[in-house]
Amino acid sequence: MSDGNSGGSGAGGPRTREKELRLALVCYGGISLAVYMHGITKEAWHLAHASCAVGDGAEPPAGVAGVYAKLLRLSQEQGLRLRVLVDIVSGASAGALNGVFLAQAIATGQSLDPLTELWLKSADVEALIAPDAAPASRLSKLWATPLAWAAAGRVDAADDDPALAEVRAKLSHFIRSRWFEPPFDGDTMTGLVLDALAAMAAGERGPRLLPPDQPLDLFVTATDFTGHPERLTLHSPSEVVETEHRLVLSFADAGVPAVEDGLAHPAELAFAARATSSFPGAFPPFRVGEMDRVLAAREMPWPGRGRFLRRVLPRHSAAGAAEGAVLIDGSVLANAPFGPAVAALRERPARREVDRRFVYVDPSPGMKFRLTRAGEGPGFFQVILGALSELPRQQPIRDELEALAARSDRVGRAQRTLAALRPGVEAAVERLFGRTLFLNRPTPARLAAWRARAHAGARAEAGIGYAAYAHIKLEGVRDAVLDQMRRAGGDQAAGRWNRTCERLDAALDARGVGPGAADQDARVVAFLRAFDLAYRVRRLRLLARRVAEMEEHGPSDGVTSAREAVYASLSHYLEVRRAAAHPTLRRGVRGGEEGEALLERLAASLDLSGLDAATDARLASGFATLPREDRRSLLLTYLGFPYFDAATLPLLGGEVLDEFDPVKVDRIAPDDAVAIRAGGAEATLKGIQFNGFGAFFSRAWRENDYLWGRLHGADRLIDVVVSALGPSDRMPPGRVARLKREAFHAILDEEEPRLAAVPELFRALRAELA
């Protein structure tokens, strides 16, 4: 996928604004509703595929992807060239299982189609049940048959549902299987995940569904049953050790051309998928030995086994106990893993304006409180089961959403503050330079000289307040240097890292940038020139915001060239902030080099002076083609940045200018997708039966849920794309509804030959769409 820096829609055609709609997908647990979520993630894959084709000017894809491509082209006709990227995937349990496959497909260009039949065929109680757990014959545990009848009688389905006979038979088989041990087989599940990855690898393969330098992050939660030690620093005592049970297995693709394995070796992806989906009571806990056993039976090598275990189980590995780790379902303690996805925002590149969305997939939403009569309380077993399983899983995501809302509020406050400061800052810059400056053609040398003069002017006007600003900035750069070293070094023992910190602190003190350093000390100035990456990023973020405001009044050739220059420069600064950009630094940190040598190594790897020179040349060229007033506006913003930064950094912090747009949150759930049928999960899904296990008992029920997953995914993803359009880019009335109908019909046409067990559902859906 190209980066799409071309701003025009053709020779002589109108200029269009450019924006990236970046989706961070957070997938909840859902047991057998994993099949429903497969349908949703498949639509996300089709949308990303369509965006890739439109961006590259390739032949329009067929089927529902063609409808998404049509939507994106209509957006371009309205004046907005929109790119849709799925670059962060985070999940727990069944959601993480689907997330593993989606992330692998995005990283490698593989198709999710081979996965569908495997889901429909193998996500079945008969396929998953352990061989030694199944009843020996139809006469085994005949006394348990009434229990099966009672359970079947609670099915919320129409009496004429043709799947009822299959459900009752499999339910009887399941209830008469082994008790007091997990009935499902862990080795079988691990094998099925490996089969799915192999089927994807053997199928069709297209381009990577992200631009070459766009990273992809996958986060999979698991629960460390026995726990591992984590040290906490206190005042008294100075250190305590706590037991931590939460575990996040992370995978990253830095954006280099896809290698054969994609995100990771299949064994490592299967490790994460099996661990996160070890639903308590249904599957046995996952251990490393299970993976070893399954791989040995397949004669499948795992060359990076030791390195992987040290990375994902660092505490266990340090104690020589990785093989003894016991991992269970990821949704036990973290059913809505927003935290890792939010943290991943820090190192995203920028080529154009970004609309960042967190899209969370909740297959069974709604209020799950229990009302009791006066004087009544929950029963003994109800309390135990609720405390152990149900309540943690059903805990709402209010805390995560409130944190995101608070972050967005800070961004909004920063934008309002900057807008209020702009007239005074522009007046100060004009006093400093005079209006004649803005008639000059900017050159790289002039930009560098103007920046230095503006910095001195801001310091003089800030007065005593500048000392506080300089102190905060210096502390921030020191912290950033240490963080860069820590991330470059990767996972390592706490004692080793503490010794590295001591050496770095000593080197920083020797450079004169310790606490209390004077802001005009030549050594401080040299240190900031070599390491203050955040300042450069904030400056270009502010300039990008100003360009976006100018484009809202109508894009032009000059503004487009300026935008491309700003975002290209910003991308280079953001690239060197990533740990992967400094491979030699990793060797130095882990090899125990002295602090001064590490600082020199990092400064050379960052090469901020070289980036500054390249940025000056790029901006001078981009500004040169602007009309006089537009060039004046951007130069006032660019040269006024020291004034803005001195005023806002002490009050708001650097974060608010690092991500200058609020993060929006969207949900995909049965309750939200009402374009075809209202009523939520109860009106559409079969897998909600038996506390989420329902789809395991019937292929017809799995086909039903998978099809509704695709339809609901299309419904909501079209909503999300349309919501990214600005007020001036809105679709004509009725156009969105027609596009949705086209997408629904395309999905039905694609799936009807495959989903042979639910012909009545297709007839009903076509009638409802008509």
Side-chain angles (χ1 to χ4, degrees), residues 234-313:
L234 307 179
H235 173 259
S236 175
S238 60
E239 186 178 81
V240 296
V241 177
E242 295 281 348
T243 301
E244 176 62 77
H245 294 273
R246 293 169 299 180
L247 197 65
V248 177
L249 311 177
S250 61
F251 302 87
D253 171 9
V256 296
V259 295
E260 183 178 351
D261 288 336
L263 267 178
H265 189 278
E268 295 167 12
L269 296 176
F271 182 108
R274 169 68 178 91
T276 191
S277 57
S278 298
F279 190 87
F283 287 98
F286 176 72
R287 295 172 180 262
V288 177
E290 178 184 303
M291 180 60 66
D292 293 336
R293 188 166 58 247
V294 173
L295 294 178
R298 294 170 174 243
E299 299 182 349
M300 182 177 178
W302 185 8
R305 178 184 182 277
R307 183 173 60 252
F308 174 75
L309 294 180
R310 287 191 297 273
R311 183 174 69 83
V312 300
L313 298 171

Coordinates of all heavy atoms in Angstrom, one line a residue, residues 234-313:
L234 N 7.8 2.5 47.5 CA 7.0 3.2 48.5 C 7.9 4.1 49.3 O 9.2 4.1 49.1 CB 6.3 2.3 49.4 CG 5.4 1.1 48.9 CD1 4.8 0.3 50.0 CD2 4.3 1.7 48.0
H235 N 7.3 4.9 50.1 CA 8.1 5.7 51.0 C 8.6 4.9 52.2 O 9.8 4.9 52.5 CB 7.3 6.9 51.6 CG 8.0 7.7 52.6 ND1 7.7 7.5 54.0 CD2 9.0 8.6 52.6 CE1 8.5 8.3 54.7 NE2 9.3 9.0 53.9
S236 N 7.7 4.1 52.8 CA 8.1 3.2 53.9 C 7.2 2.0 53.9 O 6.0 2.1 54.0 CB 8.0 4.0 55.2 OG 8.3 3.1 56.3
P237 N 7.7 0.8 53.7 CA 9.1 0.5 53.3 C 9.5 1.0 51.9 O 8.6 1.3 51.2 CB 9.2 -1.0 53.5 CG 7.8 -1.4 53.1 CD 6.9 -0.4 53.7
S238 N 10.7 1.0 51.6 CA 11.1 1.6 50.3 C 10.7 0.7 49.1 O 10.6 1.2 48.0 CB 12.7 1.7 50.3 OG 13.3 0.5 50.5
E239 N 10.5 -0.6 49.4 CA 10.1 -1.4 48.3 C 9.2 -2.6 48.8 O 9.5 -3.1 49.9 CB 11.3 -2.0 47.6 CG 11.0 -2.8 46.3 CD 12.3 -3.3 45.7 OE1 12.9 -4.3 46.1 OE2 12.7 -2.7 44.7
V240 N 8.2 -2.9 48.1 CA 7.4 -4.1 48.5 C 7.2 -4.9 47.2 O 7.4 -4.5 46.1 CB 6.0 -3.7 49.0 CG1 6.1 -2.9 50.3 CG2 5.2 -2.9 48.0
V241 N 6.9 -6.2 47.4 CA 6.7 -7.1 46.3 C 5.2 -7.5 46.3 O 4.7 -8.0 47.3 CB 7.6 -8.4 46.4 CG1 7.3 -9.3 45.2 CG2 9.1 -7.9 46.3
E242 N 4.6 -7.3 45.2 CA 3.2 -7.8 45.0 C 3.1 -8.9 44.0 O 4.0 -9.0 43.1 CB 2.3 -6.6 44.5 CG 2.2 -5.4 45.6 CD 1.2 -5.7 46.7 OE1 0.5 -6.7 46.5 OE2 1.2 -5.0 47.7
T243 N 2.0 -9.6 44.0 CA 1.7 -10.7 43.0 C 0.8 -10.1 41.9 O -0.3 -9.6 42.2 CB 1.1 -11.9 43.7 OG1 1.9 -12.4 44.7 CG2 0.9 -13.0 42.6
E244 N 1.3 -10.2 40.7 CA 0.5 -9.7 39.6 C 0.0 -10.9 38.7 O 0.8 -11.8 38.5 CB 1.4 -8.8 38.7 CG 0.8 -8.3 37.4 CD -0.4 -7.4 37.7 OE1 -0.3 -6.2 38.0 OE2 -1.6 -8.0 37.5
H245 N -1.2 -10.8 38.4 CA -1.8 -11.9 37.6 C -2.2 -11.5 36.1 O -2.4 -12.3 35.3 CB -3.1 -12.4 38.3 CG -2.9 -13.1 39.6 ND1 -2.5 -14.4 39.7 CD2 -2.9 -12.6 40.8 CE1 -2.4 -14.7 41.0 NE2 -2.6 -13.6 41.7
R246 N -2.2 -10.2 35.9 CA -2.5 -9.7 34.5 C -1.3 -9.9 33.7 O -0.2 -9.6 34.1 CB -3.0 -8.3 34.6 CG -4.3 -8.0 35.3 CD -4.5 -6.6 35.5 NE -3.5 -6.0 36.4 CZ -3.5 -4.7 36.7 NH1 -4.4 -3.9 36.3 NH2 -2.6 -4.2 37.5
L247 N -1.5 -10.3 32.4 CA -0.5 -10.5 31.5 C -0.9 -10.0 30.1 O -2.0 -10.3 29.7 CB -0.1 -12.0 31.4 CG 1.2 -12.4 30.9 CD1 2.4 -11.9 31.7 CD2 1.3 -14.0 30.8
V248 N -0.1 -9.3 29.4 CA -0.4 -8.9 28.1 C 0.7 -9.4 27.1 O 1.9 -9.1 27.3 CB -0.4 -7.3 28.0 CG1 -0.7 -6.9 26.5 CG2 -1.5 -6.8 28.9
L249 N 0.3 -10.2 26.2 CA 1.2 -10.7 25.2 C 1.2 -9.8 24.0 O 0.1 -9.6 23.4 CB 0.8 -12.1 24.8 CG 0.6 -13.1 25.9 CD1 0.1 -14.5 25.4 CD2 1.8 -13.3 26.8
S250 N 2.3 -9.2 23.6 CA 2.2 -8.2 22.6 C 3.1 -8.6 21.4 O 4.1 -9.3 21.5 CB 2.8 -6.8 23.1 OG 4.1 -7.0 23.5
F251 N 2.6 -8.2 20.2 CA 3.3 -8.5 18.9 C 3.3 -7.2 18.1 O 2.3 -6.4 18.2 CB 2.6 -9.5 18.1 CG 2.4 -10.9 18.9 CD1 1.4 -11.1 19.7 CD2 3.4 -11.8 18.7 CE1 1.2 -12.3 20.4 CE2 3.3 -13.0 19.4 CZ 2.2 -13.3 20.3
A252 N 4.4 -6.9 17.4 CA 4.5 -5.7 16.6 C 5.1 -6.0 15.3 O 6.0 -6.8 15.1 CB 5.3 -4.7 17.4
D253 N 4.6 -5.3 14.3 CA 5.1 -5.3 12.9 C 5.5 -3.8 12.6 O 4.6 -3.0 12.5 CB 4.1 -5.8 11.9 CG 4.5 -5.6 10.5 OD1 5.7 -5.2 10.2 OD2 3.7 -5.9 9.6
A254 N 6.8 -3.5 12.5 CA 7.2 -2.2 12.4 C 6.9 -1.5 11.1 O 7.2 -0.3 10.9 CB 8.7 -2.1 12.7
G255 N 6.4 -2.3 10.1 CA 6.1 -1.7 8.8 C 7.1 -2.0 7.7 O 7.0 -1.5 6.6
V256 N 8.1 -2.9 8.0 CA 9.0 -3.3 7.0 C 8.2 -4.3 6.1 O 7.2 -4.8 6.5 CB 10.2 -4.0 7.6 CG1 11.0 -2.9 8.4 CG2 9.9 -5.1 8.5
P257 N 8.7 -4.6 4.9 CA 8.0 -5.6 4.1 C 7.8 -6.9 4.8 O 8.6 -7.3 5.6 CB 9.0 -5.8 2.9 CG 9.8 -4.5 2.8 CD 9.9 -4.0 4.3
A258 N 6.6 -7.4 4.7 CA 6.2 -8.6 5.4 C 7.2 -9.8 5.2 O 7.6 -10.1 4.1 CB 4.8 -9.0 5.0
V259 N 7.5 -10.4 6.3 CA 8.4 -11.6 6.2 C 7.4 -12.8 6.1 O 6.2 -12.7 6.2 CB 9.3 -11.7 7.4 CG1 10.3 -10.6 7.4 CG2 8.5 -11.7 8.7
E260 N 8.0 -14.0 6.0 CA 7.2 -15.2 5.8 C 6.2 -15.4 6.9 O 5.1 -15.8 6.6 CB 8.2 -16.4 5.6 CG 7.4 -17.7 5.3 CD 8.4 -18.8 5.1 OE1 9.6 -18.6 5.1 OE2 7.9 -20.0 5.0
D261 N 6.6 -15.2 8.1 CA 5.7 -15.5 9.2 C 4.8 -14.4 9.5 O 3.8 -14.6 10.3 CB 6.6 -15.8 10.5 CG 7.3 -17.2 10.4 OD1 6.8 -18.0 9.6 OD2 8.3 -17.4 11.1
G262 N 5.0 -13.2 9.0 CA 4.1 -12.1 9.3 C 4.5 -11.5 10.7 O 5.6 -11.2 11.0
L263 N 3.5 -11.4 11.5 CA 3.7 -10.8 12.9 C 4.7 -11.6 13.7 O 5.4 -11.0 14.5 CB 2.3 -10.7 13.6 CG 1.5 -9.4 13.5 CD1 0.2 -9.6 14.2 CD2 2.3 -8.3 14.0
A264 N 4.6 -12.9 13.6 CA 5.4 -13.8 14.5 C 5.3 -15.2 13.9 O 4.5 -15.5 13.0 CB 5.0 -13.7 15.9
H265 N 6.2 -16.1 14.5 CA 6.1 -17.5 14.2 C 4.7 -18.0 14.5 O 4.1 -17.6 15.5 CB 7.2 -18.2 14.9 CG 7.3 -19.7 14.5 ND1 6.5 -20.7 15.0 CD2 8.2 -20.3 13.7 CE1 6.9 -21.8 14.5 NE2 7.9 -21.6 13.7
P266 N 4.1 -18.9 13.7 CA 2.8 -19.4 14.0 C 2.7 -20.0 15.4 O 1.6 -19.9 16.1 CB 2.6 -20.5 12.9 CG 3.5 -20.1 11.8 CD 4.7 -19.4 12.4
A267 N 3.7 -20.6 15.9 CA 3.7 -21.2 17.3 C 3.4 -20.1 18.3 O 2.7 -20.2 19.3 CB 4.9 -21.9 17.6
E268 N 4.0 -18.9 18.1 CA 3.9 -17.8 19.0 C 2.5 -17.2 19.0 O 1.9 -16.8 20.0 CB 5.0 -16.8 18.8 CG 6.4 -17.3 19.0 CD 7.5 -16.5 18.5 OE1 7.2 -15.3 18.1 OE2 8.6 -17.0 18.4
L269 N 2.0 -17.0 17.8 CA 0.6 -16.6 17.7 C -0.4 -17.6 18.2 O -1.4 -17.2 18.9 CB 0.3 -16.3 16.2 CG 1.1 -15.2 15.5 CD1 0.7 -15.1 14.0 CD2 0.8 -13.8 16.2
A270 N -0.2 -18.9 18.0 CA -1.0 -19.9 18.6 C -0.9 -19.9 20.1 O -1.9 -20.2 20.8 CB -0.7 -21.2 18.0
F271 N 0.3 -19.7 20.6 CA 0.5 -19.6 22.1 C -0.4 -18.5 22.6 O -1.1 -18.8 23.6 CB 2.0 -19.2 22.3 CG 2.4 -19.2 23.7 CD1 3.2 -20.1 24.3 CD2 2.0 -18.1 24.5 CE1 3.6 -20.1 25.6 CE2 2.4 -18.0 25.9 CZ 3.2 -19.0 26.4
A272 N -0.4 -17.4 22.0 CA -1.3 -16.3 22.6 C -2.7 -16.6 22.4 O -3.5 -16.3 23.3 CB -0.9 -15.0 21.8
A273 N -3.1 -17.1 21.3 CA -4.5 -17.4 21.0 C -5.1 -18.5 22.0 O -6.2 -18.4 22.5 CB -4.7 -17.8 19.6
R274 N -4.3 -19.5 22.2 CA -4.7 -20.6 23.1 C -4.8 -20.1 24.5 O -5.7 -20.4 25.3 CB -3.8 -21.8 22.9 CG -3.9 -22.9 24.0 CD -5.2 -23.6 23.9 NE -5.2 -24.7 24.9 CZ -5.7 -24.6 26.1 NH1 -6.2 -23.4 26.5 NH2 -5.6 -25.6 27.0
A275 N -3.8 -19.3 25.0 CA -3.7 -18.9 26.3 C -4.9 -18.0 26.6 O -5.6 -18.1 27.7 CB -2.4 -18.2 26.6
T276 N -5.2 -17.0 25.8 CA -6.2 -16.0 26.1 C -7.6 -16.7 26.0 O -8.6 -16.1 26.7 CB -6.2 -14.9 25.1 OG1 -7.0 -13.8 25.5 CG2 -6.7 -15.3 23.7
S277 N -7.8 -17.8 25.4 CA -9.2 -18.4 25.2 C -9.3 -19.6 26.1 O -10.3 -20.4 25.9 CB -9.4 -18.8 23.8 OG -8.4 -19.6 23.3
S278 N -8.5 -19.7 27.2 CA -8.7 -20.9 28.1 C -9.8 -20.6 29.1 O -9.5 -20.3 30.3 CB -7.3 -21.1 28.8 OG -6.3 -21.4 27.9
F279 N -11.0 -20.7 28.6 CA -12.1 -20.3 29.5 C -12.2 -21.3 30.7 O -12.2 -22.5 30.5 CB -13.5 -20.4 28.7 CG -14.6 -19.9 29.4 CD1 -14.9 -18.5 29.3 CD2 -15.4 -20.7 30.2 CE1 -16.0 -18.0 30.0 CE2 -16.5 -20.2 30.8 CZ -16.8 -18.8 30.8
P280 N -12.2 -20.7 31.9 CA -12.2 -21.6 33.1 C -13.3 -22.6 33.1 O -14.5 -22.3 32.9 CB -12.3 -20.6 34.2 CG -11.8 -19.3 33.7 CD -12.3 -19.3 32.2
G281 N -13.0 -23.8 33.3 CA -13.9 -24.9 33.4 C -14.2 -25.6 32.1 O -14.6 -26.7 32.1
A282 N -14.0 -24.9 31.0 CA -14.3 -25.5 29.7 C -13.0 -26.0 29.1 O -13.0 -27.2 28.6 CB -14.9 -24.4 28.7
F283 N -11.9 -25.3 29.1 CA -10.6 -25.7 28.6 C -9.6 -25.9 29.8 O -9.7 -25.1 30.8 CB -10.0 -24.7 27.6 CG -10.7 -24.7 26.3 CD1 -11.7 -23.7 26.0 CD2 -10.3 -25.6 25.3 CE1 -12.3 -23.7 24.8 CE2 -11.0 -25.6 24.1 CZ -11.9 -24.6 23.8
P284 N -8.7 -26.8 29.7 CA -7.7 -26.8 30.7 C -6.8 -25.6 30.6 O -6.7 -25.0 29.6 CB -6.9 -28.1 30.4 CG -7.1 -28.3 28.9 CD -8.5 -27.8 28.6
P285 N -6.2 -25.2 31.7 CA -5.2 -24.1 31.6 C -4.1 -24.4 30.6 O -3.8 -25.6 30.4 CB -4.6 -24.0 33.1 CG -5.7 -24.6 33.9 CD -6.3 -25.7 33.1
F286 N -3.5 -23.3 30.1 CA -2.5 -23.5 29.1 C -1.1 -23.5 29.7 O -0.8 -22.6 30.6 CB -2.6 -22.4 28.0 CG -1.5 -22.5 27.0 CD1 -1.5 -23.5 26.0 CD2 -0.5 -21.5 26.9 CE1 -0.5 -23.5 25.0 CE2 0.5 -21.6 26.0 CZ 0.5 -22.6 25.0
R287 N -0.3 -24.4 29.3 CA 1.1 -24.4 29.7 C 2.0 -24.5 28.4 O 1.6 -25.0 27.4 CB 1.4 -25.6 30.6 CG 0.7 -25.6 31.9 CD 0.9 -26.9 32.7 NE 0.2 -26.9 34.0 CZ 0.8 -26.7 35.1 NH1 2.1 -26.4 35.1 NH2 0.2 -26.7 36.3
V288 N 3.3 -24.1 28.6 CA 4.2 -24.2 27.5 C 4.3 -25.6 27.0 O 4.5 -25.8 25.8 CB 5.6 -23.6 27.9 CG1 6.6 -23.8 26.8 CG2 5.5 -22.2 28.4
G289 N 4.3 -26.6 27.9 CA 4.4 -28.0 27.5 C 3.4 -28.4 26.5 O 3.6 -29.3 25.6
E290 N 2.2 -27.8 26.5 CA 1.1 -28.2 25.6 C 1.6 -27.8 24.2 O 1.4 -28.6 23.2 CB -0.2 -27.5 25.9 CG -1.3 -27.8 25.0 CD -2.6 -27.0 25.3 OE1 -3.1 -27.2 26.5 OE2 -3.1 -26.3 24.4
M291 N 2.1 -26.6 24.0 CA 2.6 -26.2 22.7 C 3.7 -27.1 22.2 O 3.8 -27.5 21.1 CB 3.0 -24.7 22.8 CG 3.5 -24.1 21.5 SD 2.3 -24.2 20.1 CE 1.1 -23.0 20.8
D292 N 4.7 -27.4 23.1 CA 5.8 -28.3 22.7 C 5.2 -29.6 22.2 O 5.7 -30.1 21.2 CB 6.7 -28.5 23.9 CG 7.4 -27.2 24.3 OD1 7.6 -26.3 23.5 OD2 7.9 -27.1 25.5
R293 N 4.3 -30.1 22.9 CA 3.7 -31.4 22.6 C 3.0 -31.4 21.2 O 3.2 -32.3 20.4 CB 2.7 -31.9 23.7 CG 2.2 -33.3 23.6 CD 1.5 -33.6 24.9 NE 0.4 -32.8 25.2 CZ 0.4 -31.9 26.3 NH1 1.4 -31.9 27.1 NH2 -0.7 -31.2 26.5
V294 N 2.2 -30.4 21.0 CA 1.5 -30.3 19.7 C 2.5 -30.1 18.5 O 2.4 -30.7 17.5 CB 0.5 -29.2 19.7 CG1 -0.1 -28.9 18.4 CG2 -0.6 -29.5 20.8
L295 N 3.5 -29.2 18.7 CA 4.5 -29.0 17.7 C 5.3 -30.3 17.4 O 5.6 -30.5 16.3 CB 5.4 -27.9 18.1 CG 4.8 -26.5 18.2 CD1 5.8 -25.4 18.7 CD2 4.2 -26.0 16.9
A296 N 5.6 -31.0 18.4 CA 6.4 -32.2 18.3 C 5.6 -33.2 17.5 O 6.2 -33.9 16.6 CB 6.8 -32.8 19.6
A297 N 4.3 -33.3 17.7 CA 3.5 -34.3 17.0 C 3.4 -33.9 15.5 O 3.2 -34.8 14.6 CB 2.1 -34.3 17.6
R298 N 3.5 -32.6 15.2 CA 3.5 -32.1 13.8 C 4.9 -32.0 13.2 O 5.0 -31.6 12.0 CB 2.8 -30.7 13.8 CG 1.4 -30.8 14.2 CD 0.8 -29.4 14.4 NE -0.6 -29.4 14.6 CZ -1.5 -28.9 13.8 NH1 -1.2 -28.2 12.7 NH2 -2.8 -29.0 14.1
E299 N 5.9 -32.3 14.0 CA 7.3 -32.2 13.5 C 7.5 -30.7 13.0 O 8.2 -30.5 12.0 CB 7.6 -33.2 12.5 CG 7.5 -34.6 12.9 CD 7.9 -35.6 11.9 OE1 8.1 -35.2 10.7 OE2 8.1 -36.8 12.2
M300 N 7.0 -29.8 13.8 CA 7.1 -28.4 13.4 C 8.1 -27.7 14.3 O 8.0 -27.6 15.5 CB 5.7 -27.7 13.6 CG 5.7 -26.3 13.2 SD 3.9 -25.7 13.4 CE 4.1 -24.0 12.9
P301 N 9.2 -27.2 13.8 CA 10.2 -26.5 14.6 C 9.7 -25.1 15.1 O 8.9 -24.5 14.5 CB 11.4 -26.3 13.6 CG 10.8 -26.3 12.3 CD 9.6 -27.2 12.3
W302 N 10.3 -24.7 16.2 CA 10.0 -23.4 16.8 C 11.4 -22.8 17.2 O 11.8 -22.8 18.3 CB 9.1 -23.6 18.0 CG 8.7 -22.3 18.6 CD1 8.8 -21.0 18.2 CD2 8.0 -22.1 19.9 NE1 8.3 -20.1 19.0 CE2 7.7 -20.8 20.1 CE3 7.5 -23.1 20.8 CZ2 7.1 -20.3 21.2 CZ3 6.8 -22.6 21.9 CH2 6.6 -21.2 22.1
P303 N 12.1 -22.2 16.2 CA 13.4 -21.7 16.4 C 13.6 -20.6 17.4 O 14.6 -20.5 18.1 CB 13.9 -21.2 15.0 CG 12.6 -21.0 14.3 CD 11.6 -22.0 14.8
G304 N 12.6 -19.8 17.6 CA 12.7 -18.6 18.5 C 12.1 -18.9 19.9 O 11.7 -17.9 20.6
R305 N 11.9 -20.1 20.3 CA 11.2 -20.5 21.5 C 11.7 -19.8 22.7 O 11.0 -19.1 23.5 CB 11.2 -22.0 21.7 CG 10.5 -22.5 22.9 CD 10.6 -24.0 23.1 NE 10.0 -24.5 24.2 CZ 10.4 -24.6 25.5 NH1 11.6 -24.0 25.7 NH2 9.7 -25.1 26.5
G306 N 13.0 -19.9 23.0 CA 13.6 -19.3 24.2 C 13.5 -17.8 24.2 O 13.1 -17.2 25.2
R307 N 13.7 -17.2 23.1 CA 13.6 -15.7 23.0 C 12.2 -15.3 23.3 O 12.0 -14.3 24.0 CB 14.1 -15.2 21.7 CG 14.1 -13.7 21.5 CD 14.8 -13.3 20.2 NE 14.1 -13.9 19.0 CZ 14.6 -14.9 18.3 NH1 15.8 -15.4 18.6 NH2 13.9 -15.3 17.2
F308 N 11.2 -16.0 22.7 CA 9.8 -15.6 22.9 C 9.4 -15.8 24.3 O 8.8 -14.9 24.9 CB 9.0 -16.5 22.0 CG 7.5 -16.3 22.2 CD1 6.8 -15.2 21.7 CD2 6.7 -17.3 22.9 CE1 5.5 -15.0 21.9 CE2 5.4 -17.1 23.1 CZ 4.7 -16.0 22.6
L309 N 9.8 -16.9 25.0 CA 9.4 -17.1 26.4 C 10.0 -16.0 27.3 O 9.4 -15.6 28.2 CB 9.8 -18.5 26.8 CG 9.0 -19.6 26.1 CD1 9.5 -21.0 26.7 CD2 7.5 -19.5 26.3
R310 N 11.3 -15.6 27.0 CA 11.9 -14.6 27.8 C 11.2 -13.3 27.6 O 11.1 -12.5 28.6 CB 13.4 -14.5 27.4 CG 14.2 -15.6 27.9 CD 15.7 -15.3 27.8 NE 16.1 -15.1 26.4 CZ 16.5 -16.1 25.6 NH1 16.5 -17.3 26.0 NH2 16.8 -15.8 24.3
R311 N 10.6 -13.0 26.5 CA 9.9 -11.8 26.2 C 8.5 -11.7 26.9 O 8.2 -10.7 27.5 CB 9.8 -11.5 24.7 CG 9.2 -10.2 24.4 CD 9.2 -9.9 22.9 NE 8.3 -10.8 22.2 CZ 7.0 -10.6 22.0 NH1 6.4 -9.5 22.6 NH2 6.2 -11.4 21.3
V312 N 7.8 -12.8 26.7 CA 6.4 -12.7 27.2 C 6.2 -13.2 28.7 O 5.2 -12.9 29.3 CB 5.4 -13.6 26.3 CG1 5.5 -13.1 24.9 CG2 5.8 -15.1 26.3
L313 N 7.2 -14.0 29.1 CA 7.2 -14.4 30.5 C 8.5 -14.1 31.2 O 9.3 -15.0 31.6 CB 6.9 -16.0 30.6 CG 5.6 -16.5 30.0 CD1 5.6 -18.0 29.9 CD2 4.4 -16.0 30.8

